Amino acid sequence: MVALLTGSLLPSSSTAQNTALNARIAKLSAAQEAKVIACRRDLHEHPELGNEEKRTAGIVAEQLKKLGLEVQTGVARTGVVGILRGGKPGPVVALRADMDGLPVTETAPVPFASKARTTYNGQEVGVMHACGHDTHVAMLLSTAEVLSAVKKDLPGTVKFIFQPAEEGSLPGVVGGAKLMVQEGVLDNPKVDAIFGLHINAQTEVGTLKYRPEGTMAAADVFTIKVKGKSAHGAYPWLAVDPVVTAAQIVTGLQTIISRQSELTQDAAVITVGMIHGGVRNNIIPEQVELTGTIRTLDKDMQQKIWAAVRRTATNIAESAGAGAEVDIVNYAPITYNDPRLTEQMAPTLRRVAGPAHVTVQKAVTGAEDFAYFQEKVPGLFVFVGGMPKGKNPADTAPHHTPNFFIDDSGLTLGVQTLATLAADYLGAKK
Ligand SMILES: [Zn+2]
Ligand SMILES: [Zn+2]
């Protein structure tokens, strides 16, 4: 472990106090305040669902071109990539922002509230930036402007990745970070490390949070088809009852977390979200289908839990004389902050926000598709505060809800964080 932590992953001067350059970045970031807020509010008022971020992508591409970056559009459908080449040779660092909104109808009392509507999965719905991805786009555009202003002092290249469809594509459609990686977004030039930010509505403005290793959970979808034998409800002895068997499986699955998982190592969750079976009160059906989600923060635990779900479902079914077909599909990998990269960049976070405003946070059992980039290259995903100062997190609307609210006075900290992470990683010296 010691060898692992002292091994050199980054250019040697990466976390040196690049005082002069850091100070210029701080000043340039602060000067972005009016711009980043205006941009964010415009995007907030005009949200677009995943894979439909056409207006957003247009704004992004235009701004990046104005800054003189090399721009690619149509990456993973609506994604935009900008490349900024520094004045000196060096490594390649990527910064990522996701661009999509959600099918949520906004009720937040802000003058720039969304009135957008669209059709999603055949239903007419409101569209809202209910996860704050509008702030991510605005922060990364301002970061591009800040780093463009200091580019002659950057030893290396910065790749700006504006990603579509983080919240997921329609079932069966590959999109978002996974598709960007498949299309080679981490190649040409080859990315050495990647950084990403997420705004957080329950974290005070001015604060940064991070966690080494498993930060956000892997999300796996499981389906269990319990196969029995149909009969009249009055004669259960003629049936193999999949309803009772499915109920036992739901209960059995609960013991995987409570009795079989080492919870001091990391958290894990199994939730059954759907049970479908039967058409009538007095007919025992032939089949019942259970669908649920598994959340894990550690790859080893994930493998053990997958095996336990299979074992539990199959053997409970067998004990009833029924059968169980278990299907588990990974939906998003673990958002895994590379421990060496995290340790080397933590001083940058403390320098930018001030040591009192940087905390090592608890793991999150939600998932984030930034994980797909981190599967390929070392990455660090950081949370930045968007809650008004002095407010109780318990009194704020959660992400993905109609009343979700972000205090955008915290956005310049995000800009400075991204720009300084990139500059420090490239080992810029002035
Ligand atoms: Zn979200
Ligand atoms: Zn999000």
Side-chain angles (χ1 to χ4, degrees):
M1 194 62 189
V2 173
L4 186 77
L5 291 174
T6 52
S8 178
L9 183 77
L10 303 177
S12 56
S13 56
S14 63
T15 50
Q17 300 274 334
N18 305 311
T19 321
L21 184 58
N22 278 193
R24 280 165 67 205
I25 288 173
K27 222 173 154 184
L28 288 162
S29 301
Q32 284 289 317
E33 180 150 37
K35 210 170 194 174
V36 73
I37 291 174
C39 175
R40 178 264 161 155
R41 292 184 179 187
D42 172 65
L43 294 169
H44 191 88
E45 206 170 341
H46 302 99
E48 295 166 298
L49 290 181
N51 296 322
E52 288 170 18
E53 306 93 331
K54 296 189 181 86
R55 178 183 184 271
T56 310
I59 291 170
V60 168
E62 190 191 315
Q63 299 269 349
L64 296 181
K65 279 178 194 158
K66 251 192 223 162
L67 294 171
L69 271 61
E70 296 161 38
V71 179
Q72 285 167 262
T73 57
V75 183
R77 297 190 186 91
T78 49
V80 182
V81 177
I83 295 171
L84 176 72
R85 295 189 197 273
K88 302 163 199 171
V92 180
V93 65
L95 302 174
R96 173 273 207 167
D98 41 7
M99 307 192 287
D100 53 328
L102 285 157
V104 172
T105 306
E106 178 152 23
T107 58
V110 292
F112 49 92
S114 163
K115 293 174 201 74
R117 300 193 71 79
T118 191
T119 309
Y120 175 73
N121 242 349
Q123 276 185 64
E124 215 234 309
V125 291
V127 188
M128 177 188 175
H129 269 297
C131 200
H133 299 181
D134 49 338
T135 70
H136 301 170
V137 174
M139 286 189 283
L140 193 56
L141 281 175
S142 279
T143 304
E145 194 166 338
V146 168
L147 288 176
S148 294
V150 298
K151 77 171 173 190
K152 75 171 174 40
D153 298 314
L154 293 176
T157 300
V158 187
K159 200 180 258 193
F160 296 89
I161 299 176
F162 291 84
Q163 182 209 303
E166 190 283 324
E167 301 286 0
S169 304
L170 289 170
V173 178
V174 176
K178 189 178 187 178
L179 187 58
M180 287 196 119
V181 171
Q182 280 178 12
E183 289 188 7
V185 77
L186 299 174
D187 309 317
N188 297 322
K190 202 190 158 310
V191 170
D192 295 297
I194 185 163
F195 299 108
L197 275 190
H198 207 300
I199 196 88
N200 187 263
Q202 282 72 44
T203 301
E204 213 170 71
V205 157
T207 309
L208 297 176
K209 286 181 173 176
Y210 73 99
R211 185 182 192 242
E213 303 186 67
T215 296
M216 294 183 77
D220 309 312
V221 182
F222 68 86
T223 308
I224 301 170
K225 284 183 185 148
V226 184
K227 299 192 167 184
K229 188 173 161 233
S230 181
H232 194 300
Y235 315 107
W237 50 87
L238 299 177
V240 175
D241 189 344
V243 173
V244 173
T245 309
Q248 289 178 316
I249 291 174
V250 172
T251 309
L253 292 176
Q254 306 312 308
T255 67
I256 295 172
I257 303 301
S258 66
R259 307 284 81 194
Q260 301 172 51
S261 299
E262 193 176 345
L263 294 174
T264 50
Q265 183 182 336
D266 249 319
V269 175
I270 298 178
T271 292
V272 178
M274 286 198 280
I275 305 182
H276 287 151
V279 289
R280 197 183 142 97
N281 72 86
N282 60 355
I283 303 173
I284 295 169
E286 190 149 311
Q287 179 173 302
V288 170
E289 191 170 310
L290 309 174
T291 308
T293 185
I294 301 169
R295 303 298 169 111
T296 48
L297 291 143
D298 176 272
K299 268 199 168 154
D300 188 45
M301 285 176 77
Q302 183 185 29
Q303 291 316 309
K304 283 184 178 153
I305 288 172
W306 280 34
V309 166
R310 289 208 164 93
R311 190 174 63 234
T312 303
T314 316
N315 289 317
I316 289 177
E318 200 191 328
S319 75
E325 240 175 53
V326 184
D327 188 39
I328 309 177
V329 178
N330 175 247
Y331 176 72
I334 300 163
T335 304
Y336 184 82
N337 285 338
D338 183 275
R340 282 182 289 168
L341 181 68
T342 306
E343 182 172 288
Q344 294 198 39
M345 301 320 293
T348 297
L349 302 180
R350 289 194 287 272
R351 206 158 61 241
V352 169
H357 303 290
V358 179
T359 48
V360 175
Q361 68 171 128
K362 288 189 284 188
V364 178
T365 49
E368 159 67 56
D369 81 351
F370 186 75
Y372 284 106
F373 301 116
Q374 292 172 310
E375 276 195 326
K376 301 286 175 195
V377 297
L380 173 61
F381 195 68
V382 176
F383 293 89
V384 60
M387 181 182 76
K389 279 192 177 146
K391 212 164 174 186
N392 181 352
D395 299 334
T396 62
H399 287 241
H400 292 207
T401 63
N403 218 14
F404 175 74
F405 173 79
I406 289 297
D407 177 348
D408 45 24
S409 69
L411 301 189
T412 50
L413 175 66
V415 174
Q416 192 188 344
T417 302
L418 286 169
T420 314
L421 280 170
D424 281 2
Y425 179 81
L426 296 179
K429 273 189 263 184
K430 182 69 184 79

